[in-house]
Amino acid sequence: MQPSFLYAGATIVSLWAIAAALVPAMQKGNQTARNTHILLNVANLGLFLWQCPGLRKEEHVQQIKSGKPQ
């Protein structure tokens, strides 16, 4: 496992915690908190997909679409 993946995983956990901490402010109607929450979760999705290169391979995508296990 590469150290960059460990850093990305730690960053994902940190961003999730920050996004979760914004929920009370969003419930009070804070639009900036909502936008920041969305931005943090989009960044999390990007980091997650970067760590999973196998998910982007065409044969894996076709297997998922067809519903056939390996």
Side-chain angles (χ1 to χ4, degrees):
M1 181 180 299
Q2 297 176 350
S4 60
F5 289 139
L6 295 174
Y7 294 132
T11 302
I12 287 171
V13 171
S14 300
L15 292 177
W16 276 337
I18 295 167
L22 292 171
V23 171
M26 291 189 309
Q27 289 174 334
K28 293 178 182 175
N30 187 330
Q31 188 64 29
T32 303
R34 181 180 178 272
N35 292 338
T36 304
H37 179 85
I38 292 169
L39 177 68
L40 292 172
N41 282 300
V42 168
N44 271 333
L45 179 62
L47 283 170
F48 179 78
L49 291 175
W50 174 67
Q51 290 186 84
C52 302
L55 292 177
R56 295 176 292 200
K57 292 185 179 176
E58 186 62 31
E59 63 269 12
H60 293 286
V61 173
Q62 292 303 323
Q63 283 180 348
I64 292 168
K65 285 183 179 179
S66 68
K68 296 178 185 174
Q70 286 184 334

